[in-house]
Amino acid sequence: MEKRGWMGVGAGILVGVISVGTLYGISHLNSNGQGGVIVDFQKVPGLLNKSAYNQTKAKALSEVIRTAYIGESNNEDMIEGIYKGYVYGVGDGYTTYLDADNFSKEETEEQGNYIGTGIRFTWGITNQHLVVTDVVPNSPADQAGIVVGDKIFEIDGIKAMGSNDTKIYEKLAYTGNNPVEYVFMNNEETETKMVQLVVDVVEVNLIDSKLLKDHIGYIELSGLVEDTPNLLKQSIDQLLSDGATQLILDLRSASSSNCEAVQALTNLFIGNEEVFSVKNKDGSVTPYSTTEALYDIPLVVLTSTFTEGVIEAFPAAVQAFDRGLVVGDKTAGNGTTHIRVPLEDGSGLSITTGIVLDATGNQIMDEGITPDVAQKTTTDNTLELVTTGMLKLENDVVVQKAIEVLK
């Protein structure tokens, strides 16, 4: 089994760059034509009257853009930008406005499904192409014969170069019904193929497991939804049946905001304890406790800066109750809970509603969880991933450090 590429790709699912659409002031353009453009603000009704200005600011901005902007503008996109900018003004990067496509995507992924073409990726070493790090089984990309290590040089006529990253991310994050054309080359760059891919919804397996040498079980968890702890239990039972006497649980690409799922995950290894809690808007605190633990097998948990959300409470609990060791890099420090609120037009809001406190009562937000044994990914590991699209477990320095710790 090869280690799926997780470095630089977020939770393993590609994330597009979303512009916040903040409304900027217009004082940088004046009647003297600064910047080579002359705008007659006298023609914009009420612009110079403070009260009227507050009421007609959107019209004023529209007039300035119509008069001065060299390119074409899309009114619907600009209105969406207003909504994004309004919510962005809250000042919390995790409280966001989601257009209809992105809201639907988040709802789908919350159920443990994947929506997209099935390509996970990282940038190539020269930033002149993308390298496929994983292909979701049964996805459009999988059915088209795309494999790990393939390189993407162009998407819908846009060169896959670092200078085009925003446009490329938008194409990769597209969830509409129209086909998107990709130009692929194999890893050796001896064969080129053009493929049209149409987005689909695919059920994904969030758990990958293998029995390593010295009776060490290895499980990679790439996400956590409602039924994941039960599936994880099945994987652990199978590893124990195969002879595992120690366990490495890899959370380096795992994110989750599901409190009940994290509680159930923790209950597998830590019994009869309050393992984390959530501080709510009204100041009340909701505790999450476990019952009898199911496993006492020696445990090492792997973390990274992509270990994000309520799931950060799990390695914190492992440390607090001396249940095992945490190896790797510091977690993201996004220990918050969220709800999604749908709007009538299909769009919606993702709103931060609570702050996660670890078992000792300290908040995880901003601070993250510091591992017991620090081990960052090396340059050689990164080079292996960006050139071949995969990182072999035997070369993964974090996994090897965990094996060393267990021995």
Side-chain angles (χ1 to χ4, degrees):
M1 179 184 71
E2 312 296 354
K3 176 69 178 69
R4 286 183 285 176
W6 50 267
M7 294 175 292
V9 296
I13 304 291
L14 66 89
V15 180
V17 175
I18 302 175
S19 60
V20 297
T22 307
L23 294 178
Y24 291 94
I26 56 177
S27 58
H28 67 290
L29 288 175
N30 55 46
S31 57
N32 292 323
Q34 184 178 348
V37 178
I38 297 177
V39 179
D40 185 359
F41 289 114
Q42 300 294 338
K43 295 182 178 179
V44 182
L47 182 62
L48 302 180
N49 179 284
K50 185 175 181 180
S51 175
Y53 173 78
N54 290 335
Q55 298 174 27
T56 62
K57 189 172 183 178
K59 287 186 177 181
L61 293 174
S62 178
E63 178 68 13
V64 172
I65 292 170
R66 184 191 65 79
T67 306
Y69 179 51
I70 192 172
E72 294 183 358
S73 60
N74 183 296
N75 190 58
E76 290 185 4
D77 289 343
M78 292 171 66
I79 291 174
E80 287 290 305
I82 291 174
Y83 301 146
K84 292 176 183 177
Y86 182 78
V87 179
Y88 177 80
V90 169
D92 170 24
Y94 301 101
T95 294
T96 57
Y97 167 82
L98 302 169
D99 62 25
D101 286 343
N102 282 300
F103 189 83
S104 174
K105 182 177 181 180
E106 287 212 0
E107 290 278 274
T108 299
E109 292 177 350
E110 181 69 20
Q111 303 304 314
N113 297 319
Y114 168 81
I115 181 169
T117 58
I119 298 171
R120 296 184 175 117
F121 73 96
T122 188
W123 282 98
I125 190 170
T126 63
N127 264 19
Q128 302 295 306
H129 61 270
L130 304 173
V131 180
V132 177
T133 59
D134 192 30
V135 179
V136 177
N138 301 316
S139 67
D142 184 33
Q143 294 172 6
I146 306 306
V147 298
V148 170
D150 280 353
K151 299 176 180 179
I152 304 172
F153 283 87
E154 192 173 302
I155 306 177
D156 266 354
I158 301 171
K159 299 292 185 182
M161 304 169 60
S163 57
N164 292 331
D165 60 352
T166 299
K167 292 180 179 178
I168 288 295
Y169 289 145
E170 287 175 352
K171 289 294 181 181
L172 288 163
Y174 174 69
T175 56
N177 297 320
N178 295 324
V180 176
E181 186 171 82
Y182 291 76
V183 176
F184 290 94
M185 293 189 75
N186 60 355
N187 192 257
E188 296 77 18
E189 298 187 17
T190 59
E191 180 182 344
T192 302
K193 57 182 175 182
M194 297 178 64
V195 178
Q196 287 194 339
L197 300 177
V198 179
V199 167
D200 199 3
V201 176
V202 182
E203 184 177 352
V204 294
N205 180 17
L206 300 175
I207 300 172
D208 197 8
S209 64
K210 183 181 181 181
L211 183 65
L212 308 179
K213 294 179 181 178
D214 300 316
H215 307 287
I216 296 175
Y218 171 82
I219 297 179
E220 180 189 19
L221 196 63
S222 56
L224 191 65
V225 295
E226 185 177 356
D227 66 338
T228 307
N230 287 329
L231 297 175
L232 178 60
K233 179 181 179 300
Q234 294 175 22
S235 294
I236 295 173
D237 288 343
Q238 184 61 57
L239 286 171
L240 292 175
S241 176
D242 292 339
T245 57
Q246 305 172 91
L247 182 65
I248 297 172
L249 184 58
D250 191 343
L251 303 182
R252 287 179 292 173
S253 60
S255 63
S256 177
S257 60
N258 189 316
C259 291
E260 288 73 22
V262 174
Q263 179 185 30
L265 166 65
T266 311
N267 207 150
L268 296 177
F269 304 99
I270 300 172
N272 302 310
E273 299 286 356
E274 183 179 312
V275 287
F276 68 95
S277 57
V278 175
K279 184 177 180 181
N280 304 304
K281 182 179 177 66
D282 61 4
S284 64
V285 175
T286 303
Y288 288 85
S289 300
T290 59
T291 55
E292 193 70 28
L294 297 183
Y295 304 104
D296 60 1
I297 184 172
L299 176 68
V300 170
V301 180
L302 306 187
T303 60
S304 78
T305 55
F306 298 116
T307 308
E308 182 178 20
V310 181
I311 200 170
E312 294 177 66
F314 174 71
V318 169
Q319 291 178 326
F321 297 105
D322 198 24
R323 180 56 186 83
L325 290 175
V326 178
V327 175
D329 205 353
K330 197 172 185 178
T331 64
N334 176 26
T336 54
T337 61
H338 304 85
I339 60 170
R340 277 189 300 277
V341 180
L343 302 178
E344 288 185 359
D345 63 354
S347 63
L349 298 173
S350 177
I351 303 177
T352 300
T353 58
I355 297 173
V356 179
L357 308 177
D358 65 19
T360 62
N362 295 317
Q363 70 177 40
I364 297 172
M365 187 176 67
D366 299 329
E367 297 300 322
I369 305 302
T370 301
D372 300 298
V373 181
Q375 178 61 68
K376 293 181 178 291
T377 299
T378 64
T379 301
D380 286 344
N381 276 184
T382 302
L383 285 173
E384 181 177 346
L385 177 64
V386 301
T387 53
T388 67
M390 66 183 70
L391 177 59
K392 295 180 179 179
L393 287 179
E394 56 264 33
N395 297 335
D396 188 328
V397 294
V398 182
V399 171
Q400 294 307 310
K401 176 61 73 173
I403 293 173
E404 178 186 321
V405 166
L406 283 171
K407 289 182 178 179

